[in-house]
Each structure stands twice: as C-alpha cells, then as structure tokens.
Amino acid sequence: MITRRWVAAGACGLLVTLAAGLFPASAAAGEPVAKEAPKVELVLDVSGSMRAKDIDGQTRMSAAKQAFNEVLDAVPDEVQLGIRTLGANYPGPDKNLGCKDTRQLYPVGPLDRTEAKTAVATLAPTGWTPIGPALLGAAEDLKGGDATRRIVLITDGEDTCAPLDPCEVARDIAAKGIHLVIDTLGLVPDAKTRDQLICIAEATGGTYTAVQHTAELSGRVKQLVGRAATPVVNPVATEGARQCTGAPELKPGLYTDRESFSEHRWYRVAVLPGQELRASVSIGSDRAVNNDYGVLLRATTLSGREIVRGQEAGDGRTDLISSGLRYPKAGSGDDEEPAETVCLQVSNSFSAPASVKTTPGMPVELTIDVVDGPDGASDVAAFGLGRGWWLLGVLALTGFLAGVVWGWVSRWRIAVWRTN
C-alpha cells in the first residue's frame, strides 16, 4: 500500500535528483581542478649562417623548415605551442639593432597548423644570433599560470651579442623558480657552440643534442614537445665518489651526474630485508668518441663483494648506452633487521681522439627504485629454479599418471574392438 510517508520520501528523492542536475558545480566541488595545458615555445635561429648547405644536401634553413612542418603535424592537441625567431629581420651591421632582432612568429596557444606552417615558410636567413635576448623573450611569452613550460632552442652557432651571456640568462631564468626547462639543439655545432648550448641546457635541467641530419632534428623536437605533454620527473643533480665510502646515499628517484672517459663513480642505496633494488644507468656520448665502448653498473657490499652486475656494449652507432640490475634483499623475517647498504658502481669504457675535449664529463642519468620484493623474496633462488623443483616434480608425476591412464584406455579399446 502507498502511504503518505512513501510519497513524501519519493518527492524528496526527486528534489535531490533535480538539485544535482541543476547545480552541478556544487556537486563537483570536491573534484580536482583540470590541469592547465602545457606550454612550449620553439626558438629558431634565422641568422645568416643558416644559409650553409651542409645538412642532407640542403641549407640548414631548409632542413629546419622541413623538420618544423613534421613537428607541427605531430604536436599533441593538449599542448599550447608558440614559435619565436632570432636574427630573422635585421640584415645590417649595427650590433645594437642586430641584438634586438627577436620576435614571436606565432603566439603560444592552441595550434593552427596551417597558420603556423605559413609563418615558418616566410623565414629566410638574415642577421645576427641574439640567443640571450631570444631566451628572455621566450620566457616572457610563457609566463603565467602553473603549466609545464618548455623552451626548445634550435641554433647553428653561438650567441653574437656579448656581453649578454645566454648561459647567465638561463641561470637567471632557473633562479626564478618558475619550472621552465630549456632544451638546446645544435645544428652541425662547433666546439664553442656545443659548450654554450650545454651550459644553457644544464642551467635549467634541460638537454643538449647535436644534430647532423633533418630526421634527427625532427625526431628530437617531436620527442621534446611530446615530453611536455607527458612531463617526466626532472633529475636531481648528484656527484658520485671515487669509492663507496663517502659516496652519496640515494633515495628512490632520478639522478643526473657527469662522468669522464673510463671513470668509475660510486653511490650508495639502503635496502631493507624483503625489498628489491632496481637500478638503471644511461650514459650519453654527447661528443665524438672512438668505436667500441661499454657501460657497467655493479652492485657490491661495503666489503667489496660483488652482488650482481649489468653491462652493455656499443660500437659507435648510438648516442646513448644503458644498463640495469635487480637485487632482491633476503631477510630472516625479523622486522628489526637493519637495512643493508648496497654500493653501486657506474663505470664506462669510452675513449676519444686527442682533439676531443674530455671536460665536462659525459651526462649520466641514474634511476633508483626500491620496492617490496615478490612473495618469497627472502629466497633469492626463487628467481631461478630453486623453489620450482616441486612444480617440476608435480608436472612429471602428472605426466606419468596421464601416460598410464592413456595406455590402459588404449588397451581396453583394442580389447573391445577384437571382441566385436
């Protein structure tokens, strides 16, 4: 029977439903605010030296335009992208005017690919190389909000507007704490250009890449723009020691260091019983090196006994070489058992011609993770066949019994067939 109480309850439920539909803002008050779209500005050198014809049989400017068209086609929809130029307008000898020659070619915001490509197509190699002023302008273009921000600088030469040092400009940008990363790409770079671009990138936690081919330029810029859309953890700078004693103790995370040719560096990690240490290292050959090289990541005890190692070799066909290891720490089950200090040694066997500078060292990226080990982590043999013998025994016994039963059934069927 329907009573007044049931009717009242139904009316209240209807009012609640209507209120939720009419006032969605109040219902969603506890939900997280949508994340602001990442911002990226490509800063392209359009100075006179971009006329040089040494990239895949075409000029550096033509290679850059081709790469930009490919990059613009691949920009994720969620990325707000802009383009700034340096040295694109003033062709004269007046340094004061030449060093002010930077402007925003396409504003940072939702990308209209056709409009951006049209703007890039109008560029022609013209003037000076005011890298410092261009970085300041790009930082201004990207200001405001809490979005991920990234500048990608593409140039074929060092700054020509001293005393405004672009490396100091990058350090000033980093000091503001606005989480703006500058990545640099050098087109057929000489030693001075490389050093300057490395300094700019390192100041903000960015990366440096030397480019010799159009495909390299396109691929690397696509990667950097994509990284802004899916930001990675910025590595923490550390400095390995020459021996485990006194080496920095690393927590789970991503770290960066520099290592000279054929150097050994040590780090320490605390691993509790029942935990598993996972570590990997990557070393970038950011300059010309001799063929045949390798990287070694080795875990040892404080006394020097080797626990496990990972190693990899290269032959000069790659700019990055990586290796990794896993170490499950055995335990007795006693909660009071102390952590073990594991020493990690990172070594390389790189060498280079006498004309190549060995300083600064090559970039090293070290990833450390310590997780709860799998069930039975106290028994290291579980990673091999140690605790799998019982399974092999069960499988063997099952196979034997299946064979006996099948043989008996077969003999019975034959006997029945002969009887009939």
Side-chain angles (χ1 to χ4, degrees), residues 341-359:
T341 296
V342 177
C343 302
L344 288 180
Q345 178 190 8
V346 175
S347 306
N348 77 82
S349 58
F350 282 93
S351 61
S355 58
V356 174
K357 290 180 62 177
T358 59
T359 56

Side-chain angles (χ1 to χ4, degrees), residues 384-400:
L385 287 176
R387 292 184 16 164
W389 288 113
W390 66 270
L391 179 58
L392 291 178
V394 170
L395 291 175
L397 180 59
T398 302
F400 173 74

Side-chain angles (χ1 to χ4, degrees), residues 17-214:
T17 302
L18 289 173
L22 292 173
F23 304 104
S26 59
E31 296 180 2
V33 178
K35 189 175 181 181
E36 191 176 347
K39 299 178 181 179
V40 178
E41 182 145 87
L42 308 180
V43 178
L44 178 61
D45 179 357
V46 195
S47 61
S49 57
M50 291 288 282
R51 299 188 189 96
K53 194 174 183 180
D54 54 7
I55 297 185
D56 299 333
Q58 58 183 336
T59 66
R60 298 173 184 177
M61 192 72 248
S62 297
K65 286 183 177 181
Q66 180 181 331
F68 263 53
N69 284 336
E70 295 174 5
V71 169
L72 292 172
D73 284 335
V75 173
D77 292 337
E78 64 271 26
V79 171
Q80 298 189 57
L81 186 124
I83 302 172
R84 173 172 282 273
T85 61
L86 59 97
N89 300 296
Y90 178 70
D94 189 328
K95 182 177 179 179
N96 288 330
L97 292 177
C99 289
K100 296 177 182 177
D101 185 8
T102 176
R103 69 183 180 91
Q104 193 174 43
L105 183 70
Y106 186 85
V108 178
L111 181 63
D112 183 321
R113 289 173 170 78
T114 301
E115 186 177 339
K117 288 181 181 180
T118 301
V120 170
T122 64
L123 298 176
T126 302
W128 297 65
T129 312
I131 294 177
L135 293 179
L136 289 173
E140 186 70 16
D141 297 338
L142 295 170
K143 73 176 183 180
D146 296 321
T148 300
R149 280 167 285 187
R150 195 171 217 103
I151 294 173
V152 180
L153 170 66
I154 302 113
T155 180
D156 70 336
E158 61 179 324
D159 181 271
T160 55
C161 291
L164 183 59
D165 184 349
C167 199
E168 291 297 327
V169 170
R171 292 192 184 105
D172 290 342
I173 290 173
K176 293 178 181 178
I178 57 176
H179 307 297
L180 193 160
V181 174
I182 303 174
D183 297 291
T184 59
L185 291 89
L187 305 182
V188 197
D190 57 26
K192 287 185 177 180
T193 300
R194 183 187 65 239
D195 291 346
Q196 188 172 82
L197 295 181
I198 288 175
C199 182
I200 292 170
E202 285 186 339
T204 61
T207 60
Y208 162 73
T209 306
V211 174
Q212 305 285 340
H213 302 284
T214 306

Side-chain angles (χ1 to χ4, degrees), residues 238-377:
T238 188
E239 186 173 351
R242 294 187 178 275
Q243 56 187 4
C244 187
T245 304
E249 183 168 331
L250 306 183
K251 305 293 183 183
L254 185 64
Y255 298 88
T256 183
D257 199 354
R258 283 198 170 263
E259 190 169 276
S260 298
F261 293 149
S262 301
E263 187 181 6
H264 309 278
R265 290 209 167 191
W266 291 88
Y267 313 86
R268 295 187 298 165
V269 182
V271 184
L272 289 168
Q275 290 186 328
E276 180 177 288
L277 168 63
R278 301 173 184 176
S280 65
V281 65
S282 298
I283 299 181
S285 53
D286 59 352
R287 65 207 74 181
V289 297
N290 294 328
N291 290 348
D292 301 321
Y293 46 77
V295 60
L296 169 68
L297 179 61
R298 194 164 73 103
T300 72
T301 63
L302 280 170
S303 62
R305 176 179 62 83
E306 182 174 291
I307 300 172
V308 65
R309 65 166 56 194
Q311 55 191 16
E312 189 59 58
D315 61 1
R317 298 180 181 178
T318 179
D319 291 333
L320 189 73
I321 186 168
S322 305
S323 185
L325 58 80
R326 296 173 64 180
Y327 166 51
K329 167 63 179 167
S332 62
D334 184 359
D335 294 338
E336 301 301 322
E337 194 171 349
E340 175 186 10
T341 296
V342 177
C343 302
L344 288 180
Q345 178 190 8
V346 175
S347 306
N348 77 82
S349 58
F350 282 93
S351 61
S355 58
V356 174
K357 290 180 62 177
T358 59
T359 56
M362 294 173 296
V364 175
E365 193 167 89
L366 186 62
T367 303
I368 302 294
D369 199 8
V370 179
V371 300
D372 290 336
D375 293 339

